[in-house]
Amino acid sequence: MTPHRLDRVEARRIAVRAQLLDAPRPTDLLDVARQLTLLQVDPTAAIAPSADLVAWSRLGSSYRPADLTRALEVERTMFEHNAMLRPMEDLRLHLADMAEYPADWEFGRKWLDDNESFRRDILELLKTSGPLLSRDIPDTSKVSWPSSGWTNNRNVTKMLEMLLKSGEVAITARQGRQRVWDLPERVYPADAKALSLEESHRLMNERRVRSLGIVRPNAFGSPGEQLSVADSGEPAVVEGIEGEWRVDPAAIGKPFSGRTALLSPFDRLVHDRDRAMELFDFEYILEMYKPKDKRRWGYFALPILHGDRLVGKLDAKADRKAGKLDVFAIHEDVPFTKAISKGVRDEIQDLAQWLGLDPVWT
């Protein structure tokens, strides 16, 4: 197939529209989750948890975090798996991988084999007493998890996470940041049917292309969500950028009307830092792990989208005790026009209102 030839403006607009960040805002949380395929869980709440920020960026101030809690814990229209929140209808795309886990991880298989009685203890306890927090589950392991890092001897948590990946347990709710565990038959729908590995991977790749709009065939992802799409979509080349892309053909040539948006650092528009640089000339590093004097943009700087360009970063922090949103700096990657400045200030005002805080420029 002859590759589609796109200029960078069209490529950027495809990416922005695919992520529901153009002017026509969506109005339903589940529709947002379906199009994005996931909302990433991250406990950092310098402004708000990432999943809530991503939803707010699309839905605006009509969105409430309680909407997401209800979808996950009451309506069961979404589920949490591997630090990602997904539409429940997509569970079928993950069941085959669950059934195979940890097929290609020799160490993981051995640790599970050595702790088979521990595994059975957890499943029996959840059956009779679940749902439970991890702290309510005794550690009956025979072999401790040997990591020298933060997972050292956290045997219950490690076993639960491995059983989650294999589909033997599920997350039914959260109490604050703590996951509440239960058996999958009490969380997942009974009629969820696994597809073959080949079919599920094909469908997941197609979903990623539609969600991202345009992506490298083998883009780097993360342990919880790969960005590789193989040969899904159709081939494309972008003017001035070497190499092949895969594009959603249905997204080409659509009208575009942009807006201003403040994004989570984990937002899928900017999550692939290489793509952000290639398409948007946007450099970004999450600096929360850097010493304060080494940061250029701030602890949890929010990327700023205006139209089809990523134009800067917002350094801000929610001070809930004082009832204010501290705005420390607005970093301009390009000189702000009056329209950009107004759009950014309006979004900061909307963010503060959504948080129930007063914006304070410091």
Side-chain angles (χ1 to χ4, degrees), residues 305-318:
L305 174 72
H306 181 79
D308 61 20
R309 298 298 304 273
L310 289 163
V311 297
K313 295 97 175 171
L314 169 66
D315 182 11
K317 183 177 181 181

Side-chain angles (χ1 to χ4, degrees), residues 16 102 141:
V16 171
S141 60

Side-chain angles (χ1 to χ4, degrees), residues 17-93:
R17 281 196 307 265
Q19 283 287 296
L20 303 178
L21 287 165
D22 54 340
R25 284 183 182 269
T27 58
D28 183 78
L29 175 62
L30 185 56
D31 288 342
V32 169
R34 285 168 173 155
Q35 176 59 25
L36 303 190
T37 75
L38 60 86
L39 302 175
Q40 183 171 343
V41 176
D42 187 86
T44 307
I47 296 175
S50 183
D52 291 321
L53 268 178
V54 170
W56 169 79
S57 294
R58 276 73 180 173
L59 297 164
S61 291
S62 64
Y63 168 73
R64 294 290 181 267
D67 300 339
L68 185 56
T69 301
R70 184 171 60 253
L72 288 161
E73 301 179 14
V74 180
E75 298 168 351
R76 300 294 192 195
T77 53
M78 296 177 65
F79 71 103
E80 178 177 345
H81 188 70
N82 292 345
M84 304 292 175
L85 311 179
R86 303 178 185 273
M88 187 65 81
E89 60 213 47
D90 284 356
L91 174 64
R92 67 191 185 105
L93 304 182

Side-chain angles (χ1 to χ4, degrees), residues 317-336:
K317 183 177 181 181
D319 185 344
R320 291 170 177 81
K321 289 184 178 180
K324 62 180 181 174
L325 175 67
D326 285 316
V327 180
F328 301 119
I330 299 172
H331 301 281
E332 300 182 12
D333 286 20
V334 299
F336 280 15

